[in-house]
Amino acid sequence: MSIDKFFARIPKFQSANSSSQNLPLFRENINHPENLPSNDEQSQEVDVNSLKADPVERLAILKYHPNHRDTVRRAYIQKGPCQPRNHNFPQTEMSGALRRFNFKWFNDYPDWLEYSASSDAAFCFPCYLFKDEDVRQRGGDVFSSRGFRSWNKKDRFGIHVGGPNSDHYKAKKKCEDLMRQSQSIQVALDKQSSQAKMEYRIRLIASIKVVRFLLGQGMAFRGHDEGISSSNRGNFLELLRYHTEICDEDVATVFRKAPKNNQLTSPAVQKEIIRACAIETAKVIIKDLNGDYFSVLVDESRDVSCKEQMALVLRYVDRRGFVMERFIGILHVRDTSASSLKESIASLLAQHSLSMSYIRGQCYDGASNMQGQFNGLKALIQRENRSAHSVHCFSHQLQLTLVGISKKCDEVAGVVNLVSAVLNVVGASFKRRDELRDAQILKVQKALEVGDLQTGRGQNQELGLARPSDTRWGSHFKSFVNFILLFDSIIDVLDIVGTDAESSDERWKARGFLDACLKFEFVFMLHFMKNILSITNELNAALQRKEQDIVNAMLLVGVAKKRLQTTRDTGWDSLIDDVLAFCIKHDIEIPRFDSFYVFRGKSRRKVAEYTVLHHYRVEVFYKVIDWQLQELNSRFNEVTSDLLHGMVCLSPSQSFANFDIEKIMRLATLYPDDFTEYDLVELRCQLENYIVDVGSEDIRFSSLNGIGDLSKKLVETKKHLVYSHVYRLIRFSLLLPVATASVERAFSAMKFIKTDLRNRMEDGFLNDCLITFKERDVFVCISDDDIMTTFQNMKTRQGQLD
């Protein structure tokens, strides 16, 4: 008897155009090679940082290579089901009534129910991860295919769950088994004693401590090459050796007993530990947000490897009533169009189960892709969310006012360019810097000998050359101050360069700068712009504080305007006295103020019809200040909006002197998704009781300075529960951002982490390092056990924990 009769004969492979519907799945793959993973897909690692959170946008599990599927499943299980609780769920007409998804269903089915904001449909999380393909092809149920949308039939949730033998329970059990490493085949084949588990734990904790230190300091782990195949010892292994062999003899003994191929010291495991640190840091931030409203601060910058990076910062009010700004991620964007940036923001928020419908404020710079009236990022988000009010970064607007002045006034542009050029010449080499330093020391010694300077702790410190930045006009103030203080030393260096420089071009350039610096016009503009920038510099520093609110920011803008007006009215005499004294001290020729002013570059016969005094006082002093005031009025026009008027009325300054119920009610109408008609009726009643309570009866509210203090005091006294609608408006006022300074700080940290020697950092690795470095105060509070648990759950480990 032939043995062939005991086996089913495999028919000949049919062509791709065959109409047979009963071929096995493997045969379909043979006929359709595109369904089989390619060699490239087999060799490429899956970037778990880029996994889509929205169920509709995810790639099917069977589309991944078999070697990568468990990695993807673990990453999704660690993130949990997509449950955007704060999403604004749309209504759909069903059976003559409007129905929508109820976020309370997440509480009824917390471990499997998830929602797709892009398609308004519900899905099953375990079924996506583990439901067999043949079950889906049999027809499966709607939760694992196209999504459930019958919001009037909640009982379908229970039907989907079914009994203990249902497909849902089987998928859920597979999820639990995957994360329970003690039941894995690898662990079953490699039983470990309690002593081995303890030693693995000791080695893992030591590695985590070293990783935490390097992340907190922003240091490299393995020098210039931190790839998975790197053979560099680097900081990680050196610190680990120091920690084990020098600091702790018990730990050193455990490491000596470890196998030579100890995986905890490999670059791949280091990155997994770093990833675990970033995941736990983000978890703490999202937990602190507590599913509440937030604002987004977004900006772009190019890193050292010329990649365009988009940073996202969340601004929110925590449970104590404090304003917080937290960095939650950086993303490499290949397309900087507004629609692409919006998709990137939505994707980044979805990774943390956050919805764009809970955005209550936006803050960007003045780029057209951000601030475009019709197709900018601001406009695209506002079409989707009417309450996402936008603010043009105040610091950027302040910078634009100074740029506008420099374009209008040649004298301002001249002094800015000359100071920048002189500092470039003087600081062009270490030799010239040494000459400047020696000249400065000599001047200080002479001043001390004649008694012009006093000695003391912190006095007479060495001054450096602060080069001004084209995009940071606040840096010009420091440059002007140092230029005045180092004027003699700078002149000496220019004189030396003009005489001893090797090239004639450098000599002539230095002599030209020397002549320009020794003119009255330059000295006048240098002192004048120093005084003007001193006012705007204080405003710029105040605007960049994290806890700054928009009401106080507008008050600070008003203070700056008053100071400029006061300078215009009474500041001329003090300015001209300082300029004359400076010219006398440095032997600079002073023009006759009663003579006619002569334009530069023109013949002496072509003089102006006004005097030198009139030119400097009227044509320069008055005009520059007037232009500055005009620019401030035109740039900071938010003060005229109902939004700002209503927020000012909430301020507790001067015992709630600006309180106005009607303006506050108009403010509430600007948030239509948060206040129904019934809520508005309740709000008016609460406001009437609120002003009597906190305005006159409760003395604890009598000395508050701003809305930030008011928010903290309301939470402290538990009155935020009594006046819930009023407190909601106060939170919205605090959520409105003032400046993107927190995003700029993130980019500064990026330049510190991703340096020229680390320019090949992967995007996910950069993101993880940056989150832990930028939010160090959160990172240091995370326990080693939490990091260890997250690290262990990423994949099946050979080492086991108790």
Side-chain angles (χ1 to χ4, degrees):
M1 181 182 295
S2 173
I3 197 173
D4 294 342
K5 65 178 296 184
F6 295 103
F7 295 90
R9 182 177 297 275
I10 300 177
K12 293 182 178 180
F13 295 145
Q14 301 182 26
S15 65
N17 298 324
S18 173
S19 60
S20 175
Q21 301 296 324
N22 300 318
L23 291 177
L25 180 61
F26 76 89
R27 204 170 298 144
E28 179 185 347
N29 286 335
I30 293 176
N31 287 328
H32 299 278
E34 67 272 10
N35 293 335
L36 291 173
S38 64
N39 292 332
D40 293 338
E41 291 175 344
Q42 296 180 31
S43 61
Q44 290 179 354
E45 291 293 328
V46 177
D47 183 9
V48 295
N49 294 327
S50 62
L51 295 178
K52 296 293 184 181
D54 192 294
V56 172
E57 299 176 357
R58 293 173 185 160
L59 187 65
I61 290 294
L62 294 181
K63 294 291 185 180
Y64 292 99
H65 187 270
N67 294 344
H68 300 156
R69 288 173 189 170
D70 280 351
T71 301
V72 174
R73 287 173 175 138
R74 287 180 182 279
Y76 272 121
I77 292 175
Q78 282 191 312
K79 293 180 179 181
C82 180
Q83 297 181 344
R85 296 172 180 267
N86 50 17
H87 180 67
N88 185 19
F89 301 100
Q91 293 181 332
T92 305
E93 185 176 354
M94 296 179 181
S95 301
L98 292 176
R99 301 299 182 96
R100 63 181 172 185
F101 184 90
N102 190 341
F103 72 91
K104 294 182 180 178
W105 294 339
F106 288 139
N107 299 329
D108 298 334
Y109 309 100
D111 55 350
W112 69 267
L113 182 60
E114 54 182 358
Y115 176 83
S116 170
S118 62
S119 63
D120 186 31
F123 294 84
C124 177
F125 185 56
C127 290
Y128 160 73
L129 296 176
F130 279 104
K131 200 164 188 179
D132 296 333
E133 183 67 19
D134 58 344
V135 175
R136 300 184 190 183
Q137 290 180 347
R138 288 201 307 263
D141 67 12
V142 71
F143 287 93
S144 58
S145 55
R146 61 182 180 275
F148 175 79
R149 296 182 177 86
S150 300
W151 311 131
N152 58 337
K153 300 177 181 179
K154 182 188 174 185
D155 58 317
R156 295 295 177 86
F157 293 148
I159 295 175
H160 168 76
V161 173
N165 294 323
S166 67
D167 294 328
H168 171 83
Y169 265 105
K170 292 177 182 178
K172 184 178 177 182
K173 183 68 166 57
K174 290 180 180 179
C175 290
E176 296 172 353
D177 292 342
L178 179 65
M179 302 305 289
R180 192 179 295 118
Q181 296 191 19
S182 60
Q183 295 184 358
S184 68
I185 296 177
Q186 179 178 340
V187 173
L189 296 174
D190 186 20
K191 291 291 185 181
Q192 296 183 2
S193 64
S194 298
Q195 179 67 22
K197 294 179 180 179
M198 183 191 70
E199 292 177 354
Y200 173 75
R201 182 184 182 90
I202 291 175
R203 294 196 301 272
L204 179 55
I205 289 179
S207 297
I208 289 175
K209 289 186 179 298
V210 173
V211 167
R212 293 181 71 133
F213 175 80
L214 293 175
L215 286 175
Q217 301 298 320
M219 298 172 64
F221 285 76
R222 290 179 175 265
H224 70 284
D225 185 2
E226 296 178 297
I228 294 178
S229 60
S230 172
S231 60
N232 291 350
R233 288 187 58 84
N235 294 325
F236 177 83
L237 294 181
E238 293 299 330
L239 284 173
L240 189 61
R241 184 188 65 81
Y242 176 81
H243 177 73
T244 56
E245 297 182 7
I246 300 178
C247 296
D248 196 326
E249 182 61 30
D250 295 335
V251 176
T253 302
V254 172
F255 267 87
R256 294 191 193 103
K257 294 168 59 179
K260 292 184 178 180
N261 59 345
N262 180 18
Q263 295 182 351
L264 292 180
T265 60
S266 67
V269 173
Q270 291 171 29
K271 290 190 175 183
E272 291 174 353
I273 295 176
I274 294 167
R275 179 62 188 154
C277 294
I279 289 174
E280 288 301 316
T281 303
K283 279 184 181 179
V284 173
I285 294 174
I286 300 303
K287 183 179 180 180
D288 191 42
L289 176 58
N290 195 29
D292 208 343
Y293 301 102
F294 58 90
S295 295
V296 292
L297 291 77
V298 181
D299 203 356
E300 309 160 44
S301 181
R302 186 172 298 178
D303 63 19
V304 69
S305 58
C306 295
K307 288 184 177 180
E308 193 72 16
Q309 304 284 358
M310 183 196 73
L312 177 62
V313 171
L314 298 185
R315 179 183 174 97
Y316 61 93
V317 180
D318 66 8
R319 301 171 191 176
R320 303 168 300 160
F322 286 72
V323 177
M324 307 297 294
E325 289 187 358
R326 294 293 186 186
F327 171 76
I328 66 165
I330 192 167
L331 198 64
H332 175 210
V333 289
R334 301 179 183 275
D335 183 7
T336 58
S337 64
S339 58
S340 177
L341 293 178
K342 178 178 175 292
E343 292 177 2
S344 299
I345 294 173
S347 175
L348 198 53
L349 292 176
Q351 291 179 16
H352 303 288
S353 294
L354 299 176
S355 171
M356 296 187 72
S357 63
Y358 258 43
I359 296 177
R360 290 299 177 267
Q362 312 173 64
C363 192
Y364 316 110
D365 60 14
S368 59
N369 63 336
M370 299 288 190
Q371 295 288 347
Q373 183 177 358
F374 300 104
N375 294 315
L377 178 60
K378 171 187 72 174
L380 294 181
I381 293 179
Q382 285 180 337
R383 288 175 195 168
E384 185 176 322
N385 182 355
R386 297 174 295 175
S387 301
H389 298 288
S390 176
V391 174
H392 186 173
C393 174
F394 276 31
S395 294
H396 186 256
Q397 292 188 77
L398 184 61
Q399 172 187 328
L400 292 178
T401 63
L402 299 171
V403 173
I405 293 175
S406 66
K407 291 181 179 179
K408 291 179 179 179
C409 182
D410 292 340
E411 287 82 359
V412 173
V415 71
V416 169
N417 293 332
L418 181 57
V419 168
S420 179
V422 169
L423 293 182
N424 286 335
V425 170
V426 174
S429 65
F430 292 106
K431 179 181 179 181
R432 294 177 188 176
R433 287 180 178 270
D434 290 339
E435 292 172 350
L436 179 68
R437 191 178 295 110
D438 294 340
Q440 182 185 357
I441 294 174
L442 183 61
K443 299 294 182 185
V444 171
Q445 289 177 345
K446 290 183 178 180
L448 290 174
E449 291 174 359
V450 299
D452 291 342
L453 292 177
Q454 296 180 352
T455 59
R457 183 176 181 180
Q459 295 185 355
N460 307 318
Q461 297 294 311
E462 179 181 326
L463 298 176
L465 292 177
R467 296 186 182 183
S469 171
D470 293 336
T471 58
R472 295 290 178 270
W473 278 72
S475 62
H476 286 78
F477 172 71
K478 186 176 181 180
S479 298
F480 290 167
V481 171
N482 286 356
F483 201 102
I484 293 174
L485 296 176
L486 297 173
F487 188 81
D488 279 338
S489 302
I490 292 174
I491 294 300
D492 291 344
V493 173
L494 287 177
D495 192 21
I496 295 173
V497 174
T499 304
D500 301 336
E502 295 182 358
S503 67
S504 59
D505 182 61
E506 290 185 356
R507 291 196 298 271
W508 279 106
K509 186 182 295 184
R511 292 171 188 172
F513 290 156
L514 180 62
D515 293 340
C517 291
L518 295 176
K519 292 185 179 297
F520 176 84
E521 181 179 13
F522 171 75
V523 175
F524 176 85
M525 292 304 302
L526 186 65
H527 284 75
F528 178 43
M529 290 307 299
K530 183 207 72 170
N531 293 349
I532 296 297
L533 291 177
S534 67
I535 299 174
T536 57
N537 185 65
E538 292 179 10
L539 174 60
N540 188 45
L543 292 176
Q544 296 189 41
R545 289 199 291 266
K546 289 184 179 181
E547 68 278 4
Q548 191 63 264
D549 61 84
I550 194 166
V551 174
N552 194 49
M554 294 307 304
L555 293 176
L556 292 173
V557 173
V559 170
K561 292 178 183 178
K562 289 181 179 179
R563 289 187 60 190
L564 285 171
Q565 187 62 45
T566 301
T567 300
R568 186 187 191 280
D569 297 338
T570 62
W572 168 259
D573 292 336
S574 60
L575 171 65
I576 201 65
D577 289 343
D578 292 341
V579 172
L580 293 177
F582 187 88
C583 290
I584 294 173
K585 178 181 178 181
H586 299 283
D587 296 329
I588 297 175
E589 182 180 357
I590 301 173
R592 292 181 54 186
F593 289 124
D594 56 353
S595 61
F596 286 102
Y597 178 75
V598 179
F599 293 104
R600 287 180 299 175
K602 292 187 176 182
S603 170
R604 295 287 301 178
R605 293 174 296 175
K606 296 181 179 180
V607 297
E609 298 180 353
Y610 47 78
T611 62
V612 173
L613 177 62
H614 177 90
H615 171 77
Y616 285 108
R617 185 167 188 173
V618 178
E619 299 298 325
V620 177
F621 182 76
Y622 288 158
K623 275 191 176 181
V624 169
I625 295 179
D626 289 342
W627 283 332
Q628 176 76 69
L629 290 171
Q630 290 174 9
E631 289 286 336
L632 289 175
N633 289 329
S634 62
R635 296 286 179 184
F636 295 92
N637 53 10
E638 286 88 350
V639 72
T640 61
S641 66
D642 289 337
L643 191 70
L644 264 297
H645 285 162
M647 292 179 177
V648 169
C649 294
L650 292 170
S651 175
S653 301
Q654 300 178 359
S655 300
F656 298 89
N658 296 319
F659 188 83
D660 188 321
I661 290 183
E662 297 304 324
K663 291 181 179 180
I664 296 175
M665 293 300 298
R666 285 198 295 272
L667 171 64
T669 60
L670 298 177
Y671 295 94
D673 296 329
D674 303 292
F675 291 94
T676 64
E677 293 183 3
Y678 181 77
D679 291 336
L680 292 175
V681 174
E682 282 192 332
L683 174 62
R684 182 178 290 274
C685 296
Q686 287 188 11
L687 287 171
E688 293 172 353
N689 295 330
Y690 165 82
I691 190 58
V692 175
D693 185 359
V694 303
S696 57
E697 296 295 330
D698 196 334
I699 61 174
R700 292 175 294 183
F701 291 82
S702 58
S703 58
L704 302 180
N705 295 322
I707 297 181
D709 292 341
L710 177 61
S711 173
K712 301 170 190 175
K713 186 62 68 175
L714 285 171
V715 175
E716 179 184 329
T717 58
K718 307 296 183 183
K719 292 190 176 182
H720 70 297
L721 303 175
V722 179
Y723 308 110
S724 58
H725 293 315
V726 179
Y727 183 64
R728 187 184 305 170
L729 280 177
I730 292 173
R731 290 208 323 271
F732 289 164
S733 301
L734 291 173
L735 287 180
L736 210 58
V738 174
T740 58
S742 294
V743 186
E744 299 295 341
R745 295 186 186 102
F747 287 138
S748 297
M750 178 184 70
K751 295 177 181 178
F752 184 76
I753 291 175
K754 189 171 183 178
T755 60
D756 290 333
L757 292 179
R758 304 176 75 188
N759 61 3
R760 298 176 63 185
M761 289 182 70
E762 299 172 353
D763 295 330
F765 185 41
L766 171 63
N767 177 73
D768 296 340
C769 292
L770 197 54
I771 289 178
T772 51
F773 179 74
K774 180 68 174 62
E775 302 299 337
R776 291 187 295 274
D777 58 328
V778 175
F779 181 44
V780 297
C781 298
I782 299 172
S783 67
D784 292 339
D785 288 339
D786 290 338
I787 298 174
M788 196 166 8
T789 301
T790 301
F791 169 76
Q792 284 293 116
N793 290 335
M794 284 181 173
K795 60 190 296 187
T796 301
R797 307 285 180 187
Q798 186 175 1
Q800 303 171 37
L801 296 174
D802 292 333

Coordinates of all heavy atoms in Angstrom, one line a residue, residues 81-119:
P81 N -5.1 50.4 25.2 CA -6.0 50.8 24.2 C -6.1 52.3 24.0 O -5.9 53.1 24.9 CB -7.3 50.2 24.7 CG -7.2 50.0 26.1 CD -5.7 49.8 26.4
C82 N -6.5 52.6 22.7 CA -6.6 54.1 22.4 C -8.0 54.6 22.9 O -9.0 54.2 22.4 CB -6.6 54.2 20.9 SG -6.7 55.9 20.3
Q83 N -7.9 55.3 24.0 CA -9.1 55.8 24.7 C -9.0 57.3 24.9 O -8.7 57.8 26.0 CB -9.3 55.1 26.0 CG -9.5 53.6 25.9 CD -9.7 52.9 27.3 OE1 -9.4 53.5 28.3 NE2 -10.2 51.7 27.2
P84 N -9.3 58.1 23.8 CA -9.3 59.5 24.0 C -10.5 60.1 24.7 O -11.5 60.5 24.2 CB -9.3 60.0 22.5 CG -10.0 58.9 21.8 CD -9.6 57.6 22.5
R85 N -10.5 60.0 26.1 CA -11.6 60.3 26.9 C -12.0 61.8 26.7 O -13.2 62.1 27.0 CB -11.3 60.1 28.4 CG -11.0 58.6 28.7 CD -10.5 58.4 30.1 NE -10.3 57.0 30.3 CZ -11.2 56.1 30.9 NH1 -12.3 56.6 31.2 NH2 -10.9 54.9 31.1
N86 N -11.1 62.7 26.4 CA -11.4 64.1 26.3 C -11.8 64.5 24.9 O -11.8 65.7 24.6 CB -10.3 64.9 26.8 CG -9.0 64.6 26.2 OD1 -8.9 63.9 25.2 ND2 -7.9 65.0 26.8
H87 N -12.0 63.5 24.0 CA -12.4 63.9 22.6 C -13.8 64.4 22.5 O -14.7 64.0 23.3 CB -12.2 62.6 21.7 CG -12.6 62.8 20.3 ND1 -11.8 63.6 19.5 CD2 -13.6 62.4 19.5 CE1 -12.3 63.7 18.3 NE2 -13.4 62.9 18.3
N88 N -14.1 65.3 21.6 CA -15.4 65.8 21.4 C -16.1 64.9 20.4 O -16.0 65.0 19.2 CB -15.3 67.2 20.8 CG -16.7 67.9 20.6 OD1 -17.7 67.4 21.2 ND2 -16.8 68.9 19.8
F89 N -16.8 63.9 20.9 CA -17.4 62.8 20.1 C -18.5 63.4 19.2 O -19.5 64.0 19.8 CB -17.9 61.7 21.0 CG -16.8 61.1 21.8 CD1 -16.7 61.4 23.1 CD2 -15.9 60.2 21.3 CE1 -15.7 60.8 23.9 CE2 -14.9 59.6 22.0 CZ -14.8 60.0 23.3
P90 N -18.5 63.2 17.9 CA -19.6 63.8 17.1 C -20.9 63.0 17.2 O -20.9 61.8 17.6 CB -19.0 63.6 15.7 CG -18.0 62.4 15.8 CD -17.5 62.5 17.2
Q91 N -22.0 63.7 16.9 CA -23.3 63.1 17.0 C -23.7 62.6 15.6 O -23.4 63.2 14.6 CB -24.3 64.1 17.5 CG -24.1 64.5 19.0 CD -25.2 65.4 19.5 OE1 -25.7 66.2 18.7 NE2 -25.4 65.4 20.8
T92 N -24.5 61.5 15.6 CA -25.0 60.9 14.4 C -26.5 60.5 14.6 O -26.9 60.0 15.6 CB -24.2 59.6 14.0 OG1 -22.8 59.9 14.0 CG2 -24.7 59.0 12.7
E93 N -27.3 60.8 13.6 CA -28.7 60.5 13.7 C -28.9 59.1 13.5 O -28.5 58.4 12.5 CB -29.5 61.3 12.6 CG -31.0 61.2 12.8 CD -31.8 62.0 11.8 OE1 -31.1 62.8 11.1 OE2 -33.0 61.9 11.7
M94 N -29.6 58.5 14.5 CA -29.9 57.0 14.5 C -31.4 56.8 15.0 O -31.7 57.2 16.1 CB -29.0 56.2 15.4 CG -27.5 56.3 14.9 SD -26.5 55.3 16.0 CE -24.9 55.6 15.2
S95 N -32.2 56.3 14.1 CA -33.6 56.0 14.5 C -34.3 57.3 15.0 O -35.1 57.3 16.0 CB -33.7 55.0 15.6 OG -33.1 53.8 15.2
G96 N -34.0 58.4 14.3 CA -34.7 59.7 14.6 C -34.2 60.4 15.8 O -34.7 61.4 16.2
A97 N -33.0 60.0 16.3 CA -32.4 60.7 17.5 C -30.9 60.8 17.2 O -30.3 60.0 16.5 CB -32.7 59.9 18.8
L98 N -30.3 61.8 17.9 CA -28.9 62.0 17.7 C -28.2 61.2 18.8 O -28.5 61.3 20.0 CB -28.6 63.5 17.9 CG -29.0 64.4 16.8 CD1 -28.7 65.9 17.1 CD2 -28.4 64.1 15.5
R99 N -27.3 60.4 18.3 CA -26.5 59.5 19.3 C -25.0 59.7 19.0 O -24.6 60.1 17.9 CB -26.9 58.0 19.0 CG -28.3 57.7 19.2 CD -28.8 58.0 20.7 NE -30.2 57.7 20.8 CZ -30.6 56.5 21.4 NH1 -29.8 55.6 21.8 NH2 -31.9 56.3 21.5
R100 N -24.2 59.4 20.0 CA -22.8 59.4 19.9 C -22.1 58.5 20.9 O -22.7 58.1 21.9 CB -22.2 60.9 20.1 CG -22.5 61.5 21.5 CD -21.9 62.9 21.5 NE -22.3 63.6 22.7 CZ -22.0 64.9 23.0 NH1 -21.4 65.6 22.1 NH2 -22.4 65.4 24.1
F101 N -20.8 58.3 20.7 CA -20.0 57.5 21.6 C -20.0 58.1 23.0 O -19.8 59.4 23.1 CB -18.6 57.3 21.1 CG -17.8 56.4 21.9 CD1 -17.7 55.0 21.7 CD2 -17.0 56.9 23.0 CE1 -16.9 54.2 22.4 CE2 -16.2 56.0 23.7 CZ -16.2 54.7 23.4
N102 N -20.1 57.4 24.1 CA -20.1 57.9 25.4 C -18.8 57.5 26.1 O -18.4 56.3 26.2 CB -21.3 57.3 26.2 CG -21.5 57.9 27.6 OD1 -20.5 58.6 28.1 ND2 -22.6 57.8 28.2
F103 N -18.0 58.5 26.5 CA -16.7 58.2 27.1 C -16.8 57.4 28.3 O -15.8 56.7 28.8 CB -16.0 59.5 27.4 CG -16.5 60.3 28.5 CD1 -16.0 60.1 29.8 CD2 -17.5 61.2 28.4 CE1 -16.4 60.8 30.9 CE2 -18.0 61.9 29.5 CZ -17.4 61.7 30.7
K104 N -18.0 57.3 29.0 CA -18.1 56.5 30.2 C -18.0 55.0 29.9 O -17.8 54.2 30.8 CB -19.4 56.8 30.9 CG -19.5 58.2 31.4 CD -20.9 58.5 32.1 CE -20.9 59.9 32.7 NZ -22.2 60.2 33.3
W105 N -18.2 54.6 28.6 CA -18.0 53.2 28.2 C -16.6 52.8 28.4 O -16.4 51.6 28.6 CB -18.5 53.0 26.8 CG -20.0 53.3 26.6 CD1 -20.9 53.2 27.5 CD2 -20.6 53.6 25.3 NE1 -22.2 53.5 27.0 CE2 -22.0 53.7 25.6 CE3 -20.2 53.8 24.0 CZ2 -22.9 54.0 24.7 CZ3 -21.1 54.1 23.1 CH2 -22.5 54.2 23.3
F106 N -15.7 53.7 28.4 CA -14.3 53.3 28.7 C -14.1 52.8 30.1 O -13.3 51.9 30.4 CB -13.3 54.5 28.5 CG -13.1 54.9 27.1 CD1 -13.1 56.3 26.7 CD2 -13.0 54.0 26.1 CE1 -12.9 56.7 25.4 CE2 -12.8 54.3 24.7 CZ -12.7 55.7 24.4
N107 N -14.9 53.3 31.0 CA -14.9 52.8 32.4 C -15.5 51.4 32.5 O -15.1 50.6 33.4 CB -15.6 53.8 33.3 CG -14.9 55.2 33.3 OD1 -13.7 55.3 33.2 ND2 -15.7 56.2 33.5
D108 N -16.5 51.2 31.7 CA -17.2 49.9 31.7 C -16.3 48.8 31.1 O -16.4 47.6 31.6 CB -18.5 50.0 31.0 CG -19.5 51.0 31.6 OD1 -19.4 51.2 32.8 OD2 -20.4 51.5 30.9
Y109 N -15.5 49.1 30.1 CA -14.7 48.2 29.4 C -13.3 48.8 29.3 O -12.8 49.1 28.2 CB -15.3 47.8 28.0 CG -16.7 47.4 28.1 CD1 -17.7 48.3 27.7 CD2 -17.1 46.1 28.4 CE1 -19.1 48.0 27.8 CE2 -18.4 45.8 28.5 CZ -19.4 46.7 28.2 OH -20.7 46.3 28.2
P110 N -12.6 48.9 30.4 CA -11.3 49.7 30.4 C -10.2 48.9 29.7 O -9.2 49.6 29.2 CB -11.0 49.9 31.8 CG -11.7 48.7 32.5 CD -12.9 48.4 31.7
D111 N -10.2 47.6 29.6 CA -9.1 46.9 29.1 C -9.1 46.5 27.7 O -8.2 45.9 27.1 CB -8.8 45.6 30.0 CG -10.1 44.7 30.1 OD1 -11.1 45.2 29.6 OD2 -10.0 43.6 30.6
W112 N -10.3 46.7 27.0 CA -10.3 46.3 25.6 C -11.0 47.3 24.6 O -10.6 47.4 23.5 CB -11.0 45.0 25.4 CG -12.5 45.0 25.7 CD1 -13.1 44.8 26.9 CD2 -13.6 45.3 24.8 NE1 -14.5 44.8 26.8 CE2 -14.8 45.2 25.5 CE3 -13.7 45.6 23.5 CZ2 -16.1 45.4 25.0 CZ3 -14.9 45.8 22.9 CH2 -16.1 45.7 23.6
L113 N -11.9 48.2 25.1 CA -12.6 49.1 24.2 C -11.7 50.2 23.8 O -11.1 50.9 24.7 CB -13.8 49.6 24.9 CG -14.7 50.5 24.1 CD1 -15.3 49.9 22.9 CD2 -15.9 51.1 24.9
E114 N -11.7 50.5 22.5 CA -10.9 51.7 22.0 C -11.7 52.4 20.9 O -12.6 51.8 20.3 CB -9.5 51.3 21.6 CG -9.4 50.2 20.5 CD -8.0 49.9 20.2 OE1 -7.1 50.5 20.7 OE2 -7.8 49.0 19.3
Y115 N -11.3 53.6 20.7 CA -12.1 54.5 19.8 C -11.2 55.1 18.8 O -10.1 55.6 19.1 CB -12.8 55.5 20.6 CG -13.6 56.6 19.8 CD1 -14.9 56.3 19.4 CD2 -13.1 57.8 19.5 CE1 -15.6 57.2 18.6 CE2 -13.8 58.7 18.8 CZ -15.0 58.4 18.3 OH -15.7 59.4 17.6
S116 N -11.7 55.2 17.6 CA -10.9 55.8 16.5 C -11.5 57.2 16.2 O -12.7 57.3 15.8 CB -11.0 55.0 15.2 OG -10.5 55.7 14.1
A117 N -10.8 58.3 16.5 CA -11.3 59.6 16.3 C -11.4 59.9 14.8 O -12.2 60.8 14.4 CB -10.4 60.6 17.0
S118 N -10.6 59.3 14.0 CA -10.6 59.6 12.6 C -11.8 59.1 11.9 O -12.2 59.6 10.8 CB -9.3 59.1 11.9 OG -9.2 57.7 12.0
S119 N -12.4 57.9 12.4 CA -13.5 57.3 11.7 C -14.7 57.2 12.6 O -15.8 56.7 12.1 CB -13.1 55.9 11.2 OG -12.8 55.1 12.3

